[in-house]
Amino acid sequence: MLCTDAAGVEHADYEAANAGGEHPPPSYVADPEVTDAGILGYVDCSGDIFPEQAATFRMIIREELEVAGGNATVRSR
């Protein structure tokens, strides 16, 4: 997720994601936190998460859960 820019492009690494584009990636991605409502994640996108970026974030989470064998629903607040 840290390598996904605002246009929803997942780059190979953080340096590539920051390579002068007009759509920078998040500045910070926190470790997931288990809550009563489920697993909560925090991504610092300086106040704006664009729809394409959010869609890529959800895709990444779904892919990781599938690899881990998880059965979950992914949603945003």
Side-chain angles (χ1 to χ4, degrees):
M1 292 172 56
L2 193 58
C3 297
T4 302
D5 66 22
V9 177
E10 185 179 3
H11 296 270
D13 56 45
Y14 194 69
E15 289 75 28
N18 272 300
E22 66 180 273
H23 303 290
S27 59
Y28 176 75
V29 176
D31 290 335
E33 180 182 332
V34 178
T35 71
D36 291 339
I39 299 173
L40 178 65
Y42 174 79
V43 181
D44 186 351
C45 293
S46 301
D48 291 317
I49 296 179
F50 294 89
E52 298 87 355
Q53 188 177 39
T56 302
F57 288 165
R58 289 188 297 271
M59 179 193 71
I60 291 168
I61 293 168
R62 284 185 187 102
E63 287 174 353
E64 294 298 322
L65 287 169
E66 286 176 12
V67 168
N71 181 14
T73 300
V74 177
R75 64 178 175 84
S76 58
R77 289 205 277 187

